[in-house]
Amino acid sequence: MIIVTTNDLPGFRVLAVHGEVMGLTVRSRDAATNWVAGWRAIGGGEIPEFTQMLVESRMQVMGRMVEEAQRRGANAILAMRFDANEIASAWTEICAYGTAVTVEPIADGPGSTAQSQQLSAQPVPQLQPQAPAQGYGAPQMVPPVQGQVPWPPPGAPGAPMPPR
Protein backbone atom coordinates (compact mmCIF):
# COMPACT_ATOMS: atom_id res chain seq x y z
CA MET A 1 0.00 0.00 0.00
CA ILE A 2 1.41 3.37 -1.04
CA ILE A 3 0.43 6.17 1.35
CA VAL A 4 1.28 9.79 0.57
CA THR A 5 0.27 13.17 1.94
CA THR A 6 0.24 14.71 -1.54
CA ASN A 7 -2.88 15.01 -3.71
CA ASP A 8 -1.26 13.11 -6.56
CA LEU A 9 1.38 10.45 -6.96
CA PRO A 10 4.10 11.36 -9.48
CA GLY A 11 4.77 8.53 -11.92
CA PHE A 12 1.40 6.86 -11.28
CA ARG A 13 -1.96 7.05 -13.03
CA VAL A 14 -5.11 6.98 -10.87
CA LEU A 15 -7.44 4.34 -12.30
CA ALA A 16 -10.23 4.47 -9.71
CA VAL A 17 -11.22 6.50 -6.67
CA HIS A 18 -12.78 4.42 -3.90
CA GLY A 19 -13.62 7.32 -1.58
CA GLU A 20 -12.50 8.59 1.79
CA VAL A 21 -11.08 6.08 4.25
CA MET A 22 -10.22 6.64 7.88
CA GLY A 23 -9.03 5.06 11.07
CA LEU A 24 -10.04 6.35 14.49
CA THR A 25 -9.19 5.70 18.12
CA VAL A 26 -9.97 7.40 21.40
CA ARG A 27 -7.41 6.98 24.16
CA SER A 28 -7.46 7.81 27.84
CA ARG A 29 -4.44 8.50 29.97
CA ASP A 30 -4.14 6.37 33.09
CA ALA A 31 -3.61 8.02 36.47
CA ALA A 32 -0.01 6.79 36.84
CA THR A 33 0.98 8.23 33.46
CA ASN A 34 -0.66 11.55 34.32
CA TRP A 35 1.17 11.64 37.66
CA VAL A 36 4.59 10.87 36.12
CA ALA A 37 3.95 13.29 33.24
CA GLY A 38 2.99 16.00 35.73
CA TRP A 39 6.34 15.66 37.50
CA ARG A 40 8.24 15.63 34.19
CA ALA A 41 6.39 18.77 33.06
CA ILE A 42 7.86 20.72 35.99
CA GLY A 43 11.34 20.40 34.50
CA GLY A 44 10.19 20.95 30.90
CA GLY A 45 11.12 18.91 27.86
CA GLU A 46 9.63 15.84 26.24
CA ILE A 47 7.16 13.65 28.10
CA PRO A 48 8.05 10.16 26.82
CA GLU A 49 4.92 8.50 28.25
CA PHE A 50 2.66 10.70 26.12
CA THR A 51 4.97 10.49 23.11
CA GLN A 52 4.76 6.67 23.21
CA MET A 53 0.96 6.78 23.56
CA LEU A 54 0.65 9.05 20.51
CA VAL A 55 3.06 6.97 18.40
CA GLU A 56 1.08 3.81 19.20
CA SER A 57 -2.21 5.60 18.47
CA ARG A 58 -1.00 6.88 15.09
CA MET A 59 0.18 3.40 14.08
CA GLN A 60 -3.17 1.94 15.12
CA VAL A 61 -5.27 4.46 13.17
CA MET A 62 -3.07 4.13 10.09
CA GLY A 63 -3.53 0.35 10.24
CA ARG A 64 -7.31 0.77 10.44
CA MET A 65 -7.28 3.21 7.53
CA VAL A 66 -5.22 0.81 5.39
CA GLU A 67 -7.55 -2.10 6.23
CA GLU A 68 -10.55 -0.08 5.07
CA ALA A 69 -8.77 0.92 1.84
CA GLN A 70 -7.84 -2.72 1.14
CA ARG A 71 -11.45 -3.83 1.75
CA ARG A 72 -12.50 -1.37 -0.94
CA GLY A 73 -9.92 -2.72 -3.41
CA ALA A 74 -7.48 0.22 -3.29
CA ASN A 75 -3.71 -0.07 -3.56
CA ALA A 76 -2.86 3.51 -2.50
CA ILE A 77 -4.07 6.34 -0.27
CA LEU A 78 -3.66 9.95 -1.38
CA ALA A 79 -3.85 13.14 0.71
CA MET A 80 -3.40 11.26 4.00
CA ARG A 81 -3.74 13.41 7.10
CA PHE A 82 -3.78 13.03 10.87
CA ASP A 83 -6.15 14.85 13.18
CA ALA A 84 -6.20 14.88 16.98
CA ASN A 85 -8.65 16.40 19.42
CA GLU A 86 -9.19 16.39 23.14
CA ILE A 87 -12.54 15.17 24.45
CA ALA A 88 -13.71 16.40 27.86
CA SER A 89 -10.10 16.98 28.98
CA ALA A 90 -9.81 13.25 29.66
CA TRP A 91 -9.54 11.50 26.30
CA THR A 92 -7.64 12.07 23.08
CA GLU A 93 -9.15 11.26 19.69
CA ILE A 94 -6.67 10.43 16.93
CA CYS A 95 -7.82 10.06 13.34
CA ALA A 96 -5.99 9.22 10.10
CA TYR A 97 -7.83 9.83 6.84
CA GLY A 98 -7.22 10.03 3.12
CA THR A 99 -8.57 9.10 -0.30
CA ALA A 100 -8.40 5.43 -1.28
CA VAL A 101 -7.43 4.94 -4.93
CA THR A 102 -6.24 2.31 -7.36
CA VAL A 103 -3.08 3.40 -9.16
CA GLU A 104 -0.78 1.95 -11.79
CA PRO A 105 2.79 3.01 -12.53
CA ILE A 106 3.45 4.91 -15.76
CA ALA A 107 6.02 2.84 -17.67
CA ASP A 108 7.53 5.53 -19.87
CA GLY A 109 6.78 8.81 -21.54
CA PRO A 110 5.26 11.95 -20.03
CA GLY A 111 4.65 11.61 -16.32
CA SER A 112 6.90 8.61 -15.73
CA THR A 113 9.58 8.58 -13.04
CA ALA A 114 12.53 6.26 -12.39
CA GLN A 115 10.50 4.61 -9.64
CA SER A 116 7.41 4.13 -11.82
CA GLN A 117 9.51 2.69 -14.66
CA GLN A 118 11.05 0.18 -12.26
CA LEU A 119 7.68 -0.73 -10.74
CA SER A 120 5.98 -1.08 -14.12
CA ALA A 121 8.43 -3.87 -14.99
CA GLN A 122 7.13 -5.86 -12.00
CA PRO A 123 3.68 -7.47 -11.87
CA VAL A 124 1.30 -5.29 -9.86
CA PRO A 125 -0.99 -7.28 -7.56
CA GLN A 126 -4.62 -6.39 -8.09
CA LEU A 127 -6.61 -6.17 -4.88
CA GLN A 128 -10.24 -7.15 -4.99
CA PRO A 129 -12.82 -5.51 -2.74
CA GLN A 130 -13.56 -7.69 0.26
CA ALA A 131 -16.76 -8.04 2.22
CA PRO A 132 -16.73 -5.91 5.37
CA ALA A 133 -15.43 -7.74 8.41
CA GLN A 134 -17.23 -7.59 11.70
CA GLY A 135 -15.71 -4.89 13.85
CA TYR A 136 -14.46 -1.36 13.49
CA GLY A 137 -14.18 0.47 10.20
CA ALA A 138 -16.39 -1.43 7.76
CA PRO A 139 -17.77 0.81 5.02
CA GLN A 140 -21.39 1.78 5.37
CA MET A 141 -23.96 1.47 2.60
CA VAL A 142 -24.77 4.78 0.97
CA PRO A 143 -27.68 5.01 -1.44
CA PRO A 144 -26.19 5.21 -4.95
CA VAL A 145 -26.57 8.40 -6.92
CA GLN A 146 -26.70 8.54 -10.69
CA GLY A 147 -23.35 7.54 -12.16
CA GLN A 148 -22.08 5.82 -9.00
CA VAL A 149 -21.54 2.13 -8.54
CA PRO A 150 -23.24 0.89 -5.35
CA TRP A 151 -20.89 -0.39 -2.63
CA PRO A 152 -20.55 -3.28 -2.08
CA PRO A 153 -21.41 -4.44 -5.59
CA PRO A 154 -24.74 -6.26 -5.94
CA GLY A 155 -24.36 -9.94 -5.10
CA ALA A 156 -21.14 -9.42 -3.12
CA PRO A 157 -20.95 -11.53 0.03
CA GLY A 158 -21.37 -9.80 3.37
CA ALA A 159 -23.42 -6.87 4.51
CA PRO A 160 -22.46 -3.46 5.85
CA MET A 161 -21.60 -3.32 9.52
CA PRO A 162 -24.25 -1.63 11.69
CA PRO A 163 -23.15 1.70 13.22
CA ARG A 164 -21.30 1.47 16.54
Side-chain angles (χ1 to χ4, degrees), residues 11-88:
F12 290 81
R13 182 178 301 111
V14 175
L15 301 177
V17 175
H18 302 283
E20 181 188 11
V21 290
M22 66 167 238
L24 178 73
T25 190
V26 176
R27 294 284 182 102
S28 66
R29 298 176 295 263
D30 62 75
T33 299
N34 279 339
W35 186 79
V36 170
W39 281 105
R40 287 188 196 269
I42 292 172
E46 182 178 9
I47 303 171
E49 294 81 8
F50 288 160
T51 301
Q52 183 62 33
M53 181 186 75
L54 288 175
V55 167
E56 290 170 0
S57 298
R58 282 182 168 222
M59 296 306 291
Q60 184 178 46
V61 298
M62 281 191 68
R64 289 175 175 175
M65 178 185 63
V66 166
E67 286 174 7
E68 185 177 349
Q70 288 174 333
R71 274 196 299 273
R72 293 184 185 199
N75 65 358
I77 298 173
L78 302 179
M80 195 287 286
R81 303 284 189 266
F82 283 110
D83 192 18
N85 293 298
E86 194 171 304
I87 302 172

Side-chain angles (χ1 to χ4, degrees), residues 72-162:
R72 293 184 185 199
N75 65 358
I77 298 173
L78 302 179
M80 195 287 286
R81 303 284 189 266
F82 283 110
D83 192 18
N85 293 298
E86 194 171 304
I87 302 172
S89 298
W91 305 291
T92 302
E93 169 205 31
I94 294 99
C95 180
Y97 60 95
T99 303
V101 296
T102 299
V103 297
E104 72 174 2
I106 300 171
D108 55 6
S112 70
T113 64
Q115 180 186 25
S116 68
Q117 291 169 4
Q118 181 182 14
L119 288 173
S120 65
Q122 302 170 2
V124 178
Q126 296 298 316
L127 300 176
Q128 297 299 319
Q130 300 172 3
Q134 293 299 318
Y136 171 83
Q140 301 296 311
M141 283 295 284
V142 177
V145 294
Q146 189 169 356
Q148 271 191 328
V149 176
W151 185 262
M161 186 180 99

